[in-house]
Amino acid sequence: MSLLSKLRCITVDVTGTLLAYKGELGDYYCMAAKAVGLPCPDYKRMHEGFKHAYTEMATNYPCFGHAAKMPNIVWWKTCVRDSFIRAGYDYDEETFEKIFRRIYASFGSSAPYVLFPDSVPFLRWVRSQGIPVGLVSNAEYRYQDVILPALGVNQGSEWDFGVFSGIEGVEKPNPRIYEMALERAGNFAPEETLHIGDSFRKDYLPAKSLGMHALLLDRFKTPDADNWRKAGAPVFPDLASVQDLLNSGNIDLLKEL
């Protein structure tokens, strides 16, 4: 009997687990600026500017402005404008509007993302075993409605339900987002559910705090993975190795997750 037969649901993180960003942030900001006849912004300054602008927006208006009822496009427009200003580029309103529209459209498409080759096979395999799959992500609505479908990750064929922070108004590491996933799955018990993610703080700890099984992926060989292991987290290189684990008949392995 496989480990999978002991589970009633599997929840999966999205960014860093199923897909990754392609290229650098500066690539898309540069293309947007060049499209309106401007020089390419400095990559390093843009990266630092965006990092600080995003952190400030996420602190003041969490979950992409959900509680403040801020439209998604306004949240991103404020963040992108602040990113440019912090990087030393204060464009006039008309110019900025043209640049922003291109950036917003790019990140609302599949262009900046790449799907890991084992993601779709894994999701389909889990569902073929009669186990529902839920996505739990700190992401805005476009992940659910546009980006994932454009990448060939569709509700009904690769996943069954989703809990996205920009839609629900709660985000990791708040355990409530995992409680919502359990409710949406059909009120399964935490011990009947496995969560797979790539963040010790946002995925592993809150899922375990509810009594769920949890494991982490280390797709990029991060130095942090050694600390995850020392703290007791099972760490795997990819979803193919997780599938091998779940095909295993060693029930003691599940108790360790």
Side-chain angles (χ1 to χ4, degrees):
M1 184 177 291
S2 70
L3 291 182
L4 192 69
S5 65
K6 301 297 182 182
L7 299 171
R8 296 187 66 191
C9 180
I10 291 180
T11 58
V12 187
D13 169 57
V14 178
T15 306
T17 302
L18 296 178
L19 57 83
Y21 289 105
K22 185 167 55 181
E24 298 183 49
L25 176 83
D27 292 325
Y28 301 94
Y29 281 54
C30 181
M31 286 189 291
K34 287 175 115 178
V36 299
L38 292 171
C40 182
D42 181 271
Y43 273 38
K44 184 176 181 180
R45 282 159 46 196
M46 280 310 316
H47 176 77
E48 288 300 311
F50 176 81
K51 183 171 68 174
H52 292 297
Y54 184 91
T55 299
E56 185 170 298
M57 285 298 291
T59 300
N60 295 336
Y61 302 99
C63 301
F64 304 95
H66 184 278
K69 294 183 170 52
M70 180 183 291
N72 187 71
I73 193 170
V74 173
W75 194 96
W76 278 113
K77 189 172 185 178
T78 305
C79 182
V80 172
R81 184 194 297 278
D82 192 29
S83 300
F84 275 114
I85 291 174
R86 288 172 182 267
Y89 303 96
D90 192 0
Y91 302 120
D92 64 75
E93 183 62 31
E94 183 180 356
T95 300
F96 172 74
E97 184 68 27
K98 291 176 182 177
I99 293 173
F100 169 72
R101 289 286 176 176
R102 291 177 181 274
I103 292 171
Y104 189 73
S106 291
F107 284 94
S109 73
S110 61
Y113 310 96
V114 60
L115 199 64
F116 294 113
D118 59 1
S119 295
V120 167
F122 176 79
L123 297 176
R124 289 181 178 174
W125 172 74
V126 173
R127 295 185 76 251
S128 74
Q129 307 302 305
I131 305 294
V133 172
L135 303 184
V136 182
S137 176
N138 283 356
E140 41 134 319
Y141 79 93
R142 291 185 297 173
Y143 261 51
Q144 173 183 270
D145 296 350
V146 182
I147 295 166
L148 287 171
L151 290 167
V153 184
N154 297 289
Q155 188 171 10
S157 57
E158 283 73 44
W159 54 283
D160 297 280
F161 65 91
V163 186
F164 296 88
S165 64
I167 298 173
E168 309 297 344
V170 61
E171 61 188 8
K172 309 175 194 177
N174 187 337
R176 176 59 188 149
I177 198 169
Y178 293 97
E179 291 177 341
M180 294 172 74
L182 292 172
E183 293 164 3
R184 206 150 295 174
N187 291 308
F188 292 144
E191 60 269 20
E192 298 175 312
T193 305
L194 168 67
H195 179 68
I196 303 170
D198 72 323
S199 170
F200 185 76
R201 184 177 72 89
K202 295 180 180 180
D203 291 299
Y204 184 78
L205 288 180
K208 290 291 286 185
S209 75
L210 293 179
M212 298 169 68
H213 301 287
L215 59 83
L216 295 172
L217 296 190
D218 177 28
R219 291 195 181 270
F220 303 105
K221 296 184 173 18
T222 171
D224 290 340
D226 288 336
N227 292 328
W228 302 344
R229 293 185 183 94
K230 289 175 184 176
V235 181
F236 294 82
D238 49 40
L239 287 171
S241 59
V242 174
Q243 183 170 332
D244 289 341
L245 168 78
L246 295 177
N247 265 326
S248 165
N250 187 351
I251 189 60
D252 290 332
L253 291 175
L254 188 60
K255 295 175 183 177
E256 296 172 6
L257 298 182

